[in-house]
Amino acid sequence: MNSLATSAPADANAGARGVLNRCADRLTSLVGQDLLALVARIGAGAVFFYSGRTKVEGLLSVTDNAVALFADEYKLPLVRPDLAAHAAAYAEHLFPILLVLGLFTRFSALALLAMTAVIQVFVYPDAWPTHLSWAAILLFLIGRGGGAWSADRALGIK
């Protein structure tokens, strides 16, 4: 008989490996996907919402300073600074609110991921560690959805 066929895999619950595996199982049960989704939605939503608030006065009145930023510093190609400032301000309010509510989570996360890519490529290419952390959170939400504690789930939306 072949010794490879008769050799059993090492017991996953034995020794130090067993302790680590039991700890991992416990942590998995404590920090489930639904909690991760909720925290991801709130965390990513807050980053973009607060950025949007810096571009407006009052409820949604885009400031001259925001337009000037898009004219002087951000300089997106093929988009007028006033149009870019308005689009960014509105997107940074709408999508984070939807994200926190867990409504159209995958679409909202995808929109914010696209915004992150534009910021990375055209505005702050050296800030890739920050943008990568945003992308990781947003990719989780795109791939897994808003979780059990979301409006999507209440409405039967995957």
Side-chain angles (χ1 to χ4, degrees):
M1 186 182 251
N2 186 341
S3 65
L4 290 177
T6 60
S7 64
D11 186 2
N13 292 320
R17 184 180 347 181
V19 171
L20 291 174
N21 287 339
R22 285 188 297 279
C23 287
D25 289 341
R26 181 72 176 135
L27 289 171
T28 298
S29 69
L30 290 173
V31 185
Q33 182 170 310
D34 295 323
L35 178 59
L36 289 173
L38 177 64
V39 172
R41 290 185 354 243
I42 294 169
V47 167
F48 285 93
F49 186 80
Y50 283 120
S51 176
R53 295 306 302 155
T54 67
K55 296 173 179 66
V56 299
E57 293 176 330
L59 186 58
L60 280 175
S61 180
V62 176
T63 65
D64 292 337
N65 286 341
V67 174
L69 266 175
F70 278 87
D72 301 331
E73 186 175 339
Y74 299 167
K75 297 181 183 179
L76 298 178
L78 307 174
V79 182
R80 291 190 341 248
D82 59 327
L83 180 61
H86 281 83
Y90 300 148
E92 287 178 325
H93 283 82
L94 173 64
F95 296 121
I97 289 170
L98 292 174
L99 206 61
V100 169
L101 294 173
L103 183 59
F104 311 119
T105 302
R106 293 174 195 261
F107 173 76
S108 298
L110 185 60
L112 294 174
L113 182 62
M115 183 178 286
T116 300
V118 168
I119 295 166
Q120 172 59 39
V121 171
F122 296 110
V123 181
Y124 295 122
D126 292 335
W128 65 266
T130 298
H131 301 149
L132 185 59
S133 66
W134 299 350
I137 294 167
L138 295 167
L139 285 169
F140 172 81
L141 293 170
I142 292 165
R144 300 293 183 270
W149 306 317
S150 68
D152 286 342
R153 185 69 59 89
L155 295 171
I157 300 170
K158 286 188 175 185

PDB file of all heavy atoms in Angstrom, residues 48 113 115-139:
ATOM      1  N   PHE A  48     -16.464  59.522   2.940  1.00  0.00           N
ATOM      2  CA  PHE A  48     -16.929  60.266   1.767  1.00  0.00           C
ATOM      3  C   PHE A  48     -17.922  61.364   2.142  1.00  0.00           C
ATOM      4  O   PHE A  48     -17.895  62.452   1.559  1.00  0.00           O
ATOM      5  CB  PHE A  48     -17.528  59.308   0.732  1.00  0.00           C
ATOM      6  CG  PHE A  48     -16.476  58.531   0.006  1.00  0.00           C
ATOM      7  CD1 PHE A  48     -16.081  57.280   0.461  1.00  0.00           C
ATOM      8  CD2 PHE A  48     -15.861  59.038  -1.117  1.00  0.00           C
ATOM      9  CE1 PHE A  48     -15.103  56.558  -0.194  1.00  0.00           C
ATOM     10  CE2 PHE A  48     -14.878  58.332  -1.786  1.00  0.00           C
ATOM     11  CZ  PHE A  48     -14.495  57.089  -1.322  1.00  0.00           C
ATOM     12  N   LEU A 113     -16.188  53.469  -5.270  1.00  0.00           N
ATOM     13  CA  LEU A 113     -14.936  52.878  -5.737  1.00  0.00           C
ATOM     14  C   LEU A 113     -14.466  53.573  -7.018  1.00  0.00           C
ATOM     15  O   LEU A 113     -13.276  53.844  -7.181  1.00  0.00           O
ATOM     16  CB  LEU A 113     -15.094  51.374  -5.969  1.00  0.00           C
ATOM     17  CG  LEU A 113     -13.840  50.631  -6.411  1.00  0.00           C
ATOM     18  CD1 LEU A 113     -12.738  50.705  -5.358  1.00  0.00           C
ATOM     19  CD2 LEU A 113     -14.170  49.172  -6.719  1.00  0.00           C
ATOM     20  N   MET A 115     -15.130  56.652  -7.797  1.00  0.00           N
ATOM     21  CA  MET A 115     -14.644  57.961  -7.354  1.00  0.00           C
ATOM     22  C   MET A 115     -13.244  57.828  -6.765  1.00  0.00           C
ATOM     23  O   MET A 115     -12.363  58.659  -7.028  1.00  0.00           O
ATOM     24  CB  MET A 115     -15.602  58.555  -6.325  1.00  0.00           C
ATOM     25  CG  MET A 115     -15.211  59.937  -5.871  1.00  0.00           C
ATOM     26  SD  MET A 115     -16.372  60.644  -4.696  1.00  0.00           S
ATOM     27  CE  MET A 115     -17.723  61.021  -5.794  1.00  0.00           C
ATOM     28  N   THR A 116     -13.020  56.774  -6.001  1.00  0.00           N
ATOM     29  CA  THR A 116     -11.699  56.523  -5.427  1.00  0.00           C
ATOM     30  C   THR A 116     -10.655  56.349  -6.528  1.00  0.00           C
ATOM     31  O   THR A 116      -9.548  56.879  -6.435  1.00  0.00           O
ATOM     32  CB  THR A 116     -11.739  55.270  -4.525  1.00  0.00           C
ATOM     33  OG1 THR A 116     -12.681  55.491  -3.477  1.00  0.00           O
ATOM     34  CG2 THR A 116     -10.380  54.956  -3.942  1.00  0.00           C
ATOM     35  N   ALA A 117     -11.017  55.629  -7.571  1.00  0.00           N
ATOM     36  CA  ALA A 117     -10.085  55.419  -8.694  1.00  0.00           C
ATOM     37  C   ALA A 117      -9.753  56.747  -9.384  1.00  0.00           C
ATOM     38  O   ALA A 117      -8.592  56.991  -9.724  1.00  0.00           O
ATOM     39  CB  ALA A 117     -10.687  54.430  -9.688  1.00  0.00           C
ATOM     40  N   VAL A 118     -10.740  57.589  -9.571  1.00  0.00           N
ATOM     41  CA  VAL A 118     -10.499  58.902 -10.189  1.00  0.00           C
ATOM     42  C   VAL A 118      -9.575  59.737  -9.304  1.00  0.00           C
ATOM     43  O   VAL A 118      -8.627  60.361  -9.797  1.00  0.00           O
ATOM     44  CB  VAL A 118     -11.838  59.640 -10.445  1.00  0.00           C
ATOM     45  CG1 VAL A 118     -11.603  61.100 -10.816  1.00  0.00           C
ATOM     46  CG2 VAL A 118     -12.626  58.937 -11.535  1.00  0.00           C
ATOM     47  N   ILE A 119      -9.836  59.737  -8.001  1.00  0.00           N
ATOM     48  CA  ILE A 119      -8.983  60.484  -7.074  1.00  0.00           C
ATOM     49  C   ILE A 119      -7.552  59.950  -7.131  1.00  0.00           C
ATOM     50  O   ILE A 119      -6.587  60.719  -7.176  1.00  0.00           O
ATOM     51  CB  ILE A 119      -9.538  60.405  -5.639  1.00  0.00           C
ATOM     52  CG1 ILE A 119     -10.891  61.101  -5.539  1.00  0.00           C
ATOM     53  CG2 ILE A 119      -8.550  61.014  -4.639  1.00  0.00           C
ATOM     54  CD1 ILE A 119     -11.651  60.784  -4.253  1.00  0.00           C
ATOM     55  N   GLN A 120      -7.413  58.626  -7.155  1.00  0.00           N
ATOM     56  CA  GLN A 120      -6.090  58.011  -7.194  1.00  0.00           C
ATOM     57  C   GLN A 120      -5.332  58.374  -8.460  1.00  0.00           C
ATOM     58  O   GLN A 120      -4.173  58.762  -8.413  1.00  0.00           O
ATOM     59  CB  GLN A 120      -6.202  56.486  -7.069  1.00  0.00           C
ATOM     60  CG  GLN A 120      -4.916  55.734  -7.279  1.00  0.00           C
ATOM     61  CD  GLN A 120      -3.814  56.119  -6.306  1.00  0.00           C
ATOM     62  OE1 GLN A 120      -4.070  56.341  -5.129  1.00  0.00           O
ATOM     63  NE2 GLN A 120      -2.590  56.201  -6.790  1.00  0.00           N
ATOM     64  N   VAL A 121      -6.009  58.260  -9.593  1.00  0.00           N
ATOM     65  CA  VAL A 121      -5.330  58.453 -10.878  1.00  0.00           C
ATOM     66  C   VAL A 121      -5.066  59.928 -11.175  1.00  0.00           C
ATOM     67  O   VAL A 121      -3.971  60.294 -11.601  1.00  0.00           O
ATOM     68  CB  VAL A 121      -6.150  57.811 -12.019  1.00  0.00           C
ATOM     69  CG1 VAL A 121      -5.590  58.173 -13.384  1.00  0.00           C
ATOM     70  CG2 VAL A 121      -6.193  56.294 -11.843  1.00  0.00           C
ATOM     71  N   PHE A 122      -6.043  60.785 -10.928  1.00  0.00           N
ATOM     72  CA  PHE A 122      -5.948  62.168 -11.396  1.00  0.00           C
ATOM     73  C   PHE A 122      -5.640  63.206 -10.322  1.00  0.00           C
ATOM     74  O   PHE A 122      -5.194  64.296 -10.646  1.00  0.00           O
ATOM     75  CB  PHE A 122      -7.251  62.577 -12.100  1.00  0.00           C
ATOM     76  CG  PHE A 122      -7.524  61.792 -13.337  1.00  0.00           C
ATOM     77  CD1 PHE A 122      -8.559  60.880 -13.371  1.00  0.00           C
ATOM     78  CD2 PHE A 122      -6.736  61.937 -14.474  1.00  0.00           C
ATOM     79  CE1 PHE A 122      -8.819  60.139 -14.508  1.00  0.00           C
ATOM     80  CE2 PHE A 122      -6.982  61.197 -15.615  1.00  0.00           C
ATOM     81  CZ  PHE A 122      -8.021  60.293 -15.633  1.00  0.00           C
ATOM     82  N   VAL A 123      -5.892  62.905  -9.065  1.00  0.00           N
ATOM     83  CA  VAL A 123      -5.780  63.942  -8.044  1.00  0.00           C
ATOM     84  C   VAL A 123      -4.596  63.692  -7.103  1.00  0.00           C
ATOM     85  O   VAL A 123      -3.717  64.538  -6.973  1.00  0.00           O
ATOM     86  CB  VAL A 123      -7.099  64.076  -7.246  1.00  0.00           C
ATOM     87  CG1 VAL A 123      -6.987  65.179  -6.208  1.00  0.00           C
ATOM     88  CG2 VAL A 123      -8.271  64.354  -8.192  1.00  0.00           C
ATOM     89  N   TYR A 124      -4.594  62.554  -6.422  1.00  0.00           N
ATOM     90  CA  TYR A 124      -3.556  62.267  -5.440  1.00  0.00           C
ATOM     91  C   TYR A 124      -2.939  60.885  -5.694  1.00  0.00           C
ATOM     92  O   TYR A 124      -3.180  59.935  -4.946  1.00  0.00           O
ATOM     93  CB  TYR A 124      -4.128  62.313  -4.017  1.00  0.00           C
ATOM     94  CG  TYR A 124      -4.617  63.668  -3.589  1.00  0.00           C
ATOM     95  CD1 TYR A 124      -5.935  63.854  -3.185  1.00  0.00           C
ATOM     96  CD2 TYR A 124      -3.763  64.762  -3.570  1.00  0.00           C
ATOM     97  CE1 TYR A 124      -6.397  65.100  -2.779  1.00  0.00           C
ATOM     98  CE2 TYR A 124      -4.209  66.015  -3.170  1.00  0.00           C
ATOM     99  CZ  TYR A 124      -5.525  66.168  -2.780  1.00  0.00           C
ATOM    100  OH  TYR A 124      -5.974  67.398  -2.378  1.00  0.00           O
ATOM    101  N   PRO A 125      -2.116  60.754  -6.726  1.00  0.00           N
ATOM    102  CA  PRO A 125      -1.546  59.439  -7.039  1.00  0.00           C
ATOM    103  C   PRO A 125      -0.607  58.894  -5.966  1.00  0.00           C
ATOM    104  O   PRO A 125      -0.416  57.683  -5.876  1.00  0.00           O
ATOM    105  CB  PRO A 125      -0.800  59.669  -8.354  1.00  0.00           C
ATOM    106  CG  PRO A 125      -0.633  61.138  -8.473  1.00  0.00           C
ATOM    107  CD  PRO A 125      -1.724  61.780  -7.681  1.00  0.00           C
ATOM    108  N   ASP A 126      -0.063  59.742  -5.132  1.00  0.00           N
ATOM    109  CA  ASP A 126       0.835  59.273  -4.078  1.00  0.00           C
ATOM    110  C   ASP A 126       0.088  58.800  -2.829  1.00  0.00           C
ATOM    111  O   ASP A 126       0.706  58.272  -1.903  1.00  0.00           O
ATOM    112  CB  ASP A 126       1.833  60.370  -3.682  1.00  0.00           C
ATOM    113  CG  ASP A 126       2.825  60.667  -4.792  1.00  0.00           C
ATOM    114  OD1 ASP A 126       3.063  59.767  -5.629  1.00  0.00           O
ATOM    115  OD2 ASP A 126       3.356  61.795  -4.839  1.00  0.00           O
ATOM    116  N   ALA A 127      -1.224  58.962  -2.810  1.00  0.00           N
ATOM    117  CA  ALA A 127      -2.009  58.573  -1.633  1.00  0.00           C
ATOM    118  C   ALA A 127      -2.569  57.164  -1.778  1.00  0.00           C
ATOM    119  O   ALA A 127      -3.602  56.837  -1.201  1.00  0.00           O
ATOM    120  CB  ALA A 127      -3.130  59.586  -1.404  1.00  0.00           C
ATOM    121  N   TRP A 128      -1.883  56.319  -2.519  1.00  0.00           N
ATOM    122  CA  TRP A 128      -2.400  54.972  -2.789  1.00  0.00           C
ATOM    123  C   TRP A 128      -2.652  54.130  -1.538  1.00  0.00           C
ATOM    124  O   TRP A 128      -3.581  53.334  -1.533  1.00  0.00           O
ATOM    125  CB  TRP A 128      -1.515  54.234  -3.802  1.00  0.00           C
ATOM    126  CG  TRP A 128      -0.124  53.951  -3.332  1.00  0.00           C
ATOM    127  CD1 TRP A 128       0.982  54.706  -3.535  1.00  0.00           C
ATOM    128  CD2 TRP A 128       0.287  52.822  -2.566  1.00  0.00           C
ATOM    129  NE1 TRP A 128       2.062  54.127  -2.931  1.00  0.00           N
ATOM    130  CE2 TRP A 128       1.668  52.956  -2.335  1.00  0.00           C
ATOM    131  CE3 TRP A 128      -0.375  51.703  -2.051  1.00  0.00           C
ATOM    132  CZ2 TRP A 128       2.397  52.031  -1.609  1.00  0.00           C
ATOM    133  CZ3 TRP A 128       0.353  50.776  -1.324  1.00  0.00           C
ATOM    134  CH2 TRP A 128       1.726  50.951  -1.113  1.00  0.00           C
ATOM    135  N   PRO A 129      -1.874  54.268  -0.445  1.00  0.00           N
ATOM    136  CA  PRO A 129      -2.217  53.445   0.727  1.00  0.00           C
ATOM    137  C   PRO A 129      -3.611  53.772   1.289  1.00  0.00           C
ATOM    138  O   PRO A 129      -4.368  52.872   1.651  1.00  0.00           O
ATOM    139  CB  PRO A 129      -1.121  53.772   1.742  1.00  0.00           C
ATOM    140  CG  PRO A 129       0.046  54.226   0.905  1.00  0.00           C
ATOM    141  CD  PRO A 129      -0.589  54.986  -0.221  1.00  0.00           C
ATOM    142  N   THR A 130      -3.941  55.042   1.327  1.00  0.00           N
ATOM    143  CA  THR A 130      -5.269  55.446   1.789  1.00  0.00           C
ATOM    144  C   THR A 130      -6.337  54.945   0.829  1.00  0.00           C
ATOM    145  O   THR A 130      -7.349  54.364   1.243  1.00  0.00           O
ATOM    146  CB  THR A 130      -5.348  56.978   1.917  1.00  0.00           C
ATOM    147  OG1 THR A 130      -4.401  57.400   2.891  1.00  0.00           O
ATOM    148  CG2 THR A 130      -6.749  57.429   2.310  1.00  0.00           C
ATOM    149  N   HIS A 131      -6.117  55.153  -0.448  1.00  0.00           N
ATOM    150  CA  HIS A 131      -7.099  54.744  -1.453  1.00  0.00           C
ATOM    151  C   HIS A 131      -7.253  53.229  -1.496  1.00  0.00           C
ATOM    152  O   HIS A 131      -8.355  52.717  -1.722  1.00  0.00           O
ATOM    153  CB  HIS A 131      -6.722  55.299  -2.825  1.00  0.00           C
ATOM    154  CG  HIS A 131      -6.633  56.789  -2.829  1.00  0.00           C
ATOM    155  ND1 HIS A 131      -5.765  57.472  -3.640  1.00  0.00           N
ATOM    156  CD2 HIS A 131      -7.296  57.726  -2.105  1.00  0.00           C
ATOM    157  CE1 HIS A 131      -5.899  58.774  -3.421  1.00  0.00           C
ATOM    158  NE2 HIS A 131      -6.818  58.948  -2.488  1.00  0.00           N
ATOM    159  N   LEU A 132      -6.171  52.516  -1.263  1.00  0.00           N
ATOM    160  CA  LEU A 132      -6.251  51.056  -1.245  1.00  0.00           C
ATOM    161  C   LEU A 132      -7.091  50.578  -0.057  1.00  0.00           C
ATOM    162  O   LEU A 132      -7.861  49.621  -0.182  1.00  0.00           O
ATOM    163  CB  LEU A 132      -4.846  50.449  -1.193  1.00  0.00           C
ATOM    164  CG  LEU A 132      -4.763  48.931  -1.299  1.00  0.00           C
ATOM    165  CD1 LEU A 132      -5.375  48.430  -2.603  1.00  0.00           C
ATOM    166  CD2 LEU A 132      -3.306  48.486  -1.188  1.00  0.00           C
ATOM    167  N   SER A 133      -6.961  51.259   1.088  1.00  0.00           N
ATOM    168  CA  SER A 133      -7.786  50.870   2.238  1.00  0.00           C
ATOM    169  C   SER A 133      -9.265  51.150   1.966  1.00  0.00           C
ATOM    170  O   SER A 133     -10.128  50.348   2.324  1.00  0.00           O
ATOM    171  CB  SER A 133      -7.309  51.561   3.516  1.00  0.00           C
ATOM    172  OG  SER A 133      -7.511  52.952   3.455  1.00  0.00           O
ATOM    173  N   TRP A 134      -9.576  52.263   1.310  1.00  0.00           N
ATOM    174  CA  TRP A 134     -10.964  52.530   0.923  1.00  0.00           C
ATOM    175  C   TRP A 134     -11.447  51.459  -0.048  1.00  0.00           C
ATOM    176  O   TRP A 134     -12.560  50.950   0.074  1.00  0.00           O
ATOM    177  CB  TRP A 134     -11.105  53.885   0.252  1.00  0.00           C
ATOM    178  CG  TRP A 134     -10.738  55.082   1.055  1.00  0.00           C
ATOM    179  CD1 TRP A 134     -10.465  55.147   2.395  1.00  0.00           C
ATOM    180  CD2 TRP A 134     -10.587  56.405   0.555  1.00  0.00           C
ATOM    181  NE1 TRP A 134     -10.167  56.438   2.755  1.00  0.00           N
ATOM    182  CE2 TRP A 134     -10.229  57.236   1.647  1.00  0.00           C
ATOM    183  CE3 TRP A 134     -10.702  56.980  -0.703  1.00  0.00           C
ATOM    184  CZ2 TRP A 134     -10.006  58.602   1.511  1.00  0.00           C
ATOM    185  CZ3 TRP A 134     -10.486  58.339  -0.843  1.00  0.00           C
ATOM    186  CH2 TRP A 134     -10.146  59.135   0.259  1.00  0.00           C
ATOM    187  N   ALA A 135     -10.613  51.151  -1.030  1.00  0.00           N
ATOM    188  CA  ALA A 135     -10.991  50.159  -2.047  1.00  0.00           C
ATOM    189  C   ALA A 135     -11.262  48.795  -1.419  1.00  0.00           C
ATOM    190  O   ALA A 135     -12.203  48.106  -1.823  1.00  0.00           O
ATOM    191  CB  ALA A 135      -9.891  50.054  -3.110  1.00  0.00           C
ATOM    192  N   ALA A 136     -10.461  48.403  -0.439  1.00  0.00           N
ATOM    193  CA  ALA A 136     -10.672  47.107   0.207  1.00  0.00           C
ATOM    194  C   ALA A 136     -12.049  47.045   0.860  1.00  0.00           C
ATOM    195  O   ALA A 136     -12.783  46.051   0.711  1.00  0.00           O
ATOM    196  CB  ALA A 136      -9.574  46.858   1.251  1.00  0.00           C
ATOM    197  N   ILE A 137     -12.412  48.092   1.568  1.00  0.00           N
ATOM    198  CA  ILE A 137     -13.724  48.139   2.218  1.00  0.00           C
ATOM    199  C   ILE A 137     -14.834  48.115   1.167  1.00  0.00           C
ATOM    200  O   ILE A 137     -15.813  47.370   1.287  1.00  0.00           O
ATOM    201  CB  ILE A 137     -13.839  49.400   3.102  1.00  0.00           C
ATOM    202  CG1 ILE A 137     -12.866  49.317   4.271  1.00  0.00           C
ATOM    203  CG2 ILE A 137     -15.271  49.601   3.583  1.00  0.00           C
ATOM    204  CD1 ILE A 137     -12.683  50.625   5.026  1.00  0.00           C
ATOM    205  N   LEU A 138     -14.684  48.931   0.145  1.00  0.00           N
ATOM    206  CA  LEU A 138     -15.715  49.026  -0.888  1.00  0.00           C
ATOM    207  C   LEU A 138     -15.830  47.728  -1.684  1.00  0.00           C
ATOM    208  O   LEU A 138     -16.940  47.299  -2.028  1.00  0.00           O
ATOM    209  CB  LEU A 138     -15.437  50.221  -1.797  1.00  0.00           C
ATOM    210  CG  LEU A 138     -15.544  51.583  -1.095  1.00  0.00           C
ATOM    211  CD1 LEU A 138     -14.955  52.686  -1.966  1.00  0.00           C
ATOM    212  CD2 LEU A 138     -16.978  51.891  -0.693  1.00  0.00           C
ATOM    213  N   LEU A 139     -14.709  47.068  -1.958  1.00  0.00           N
ATOM    214  CA  LEU A 139     -14.751  45.784  -2.660  1.00  0.00           C
ATOM    215  C   LEU A 139     -15.471  44.724  -1.838  1.00  0.00           C
ATOM    216  O   LEU A 139     -16.205  43.895  -2.381  1.00  0.00           O
ATOM    217  CB  LEU A 139     -13.342  45.324  -3.026  1.00  0.00           C
ATOM    218  CG  LEU A 139     -12.706  46.058  -4.200  1.00  0.00           C
ATOM    219  CD1 LEU A 139     -11.217  45.723  -4.297  1.00  0.00           C
ATOM    220  CD2 LEU A 139     -13.424  45.727  -5.502  1.00  0.00           C
TER     221      LEU A 139
END
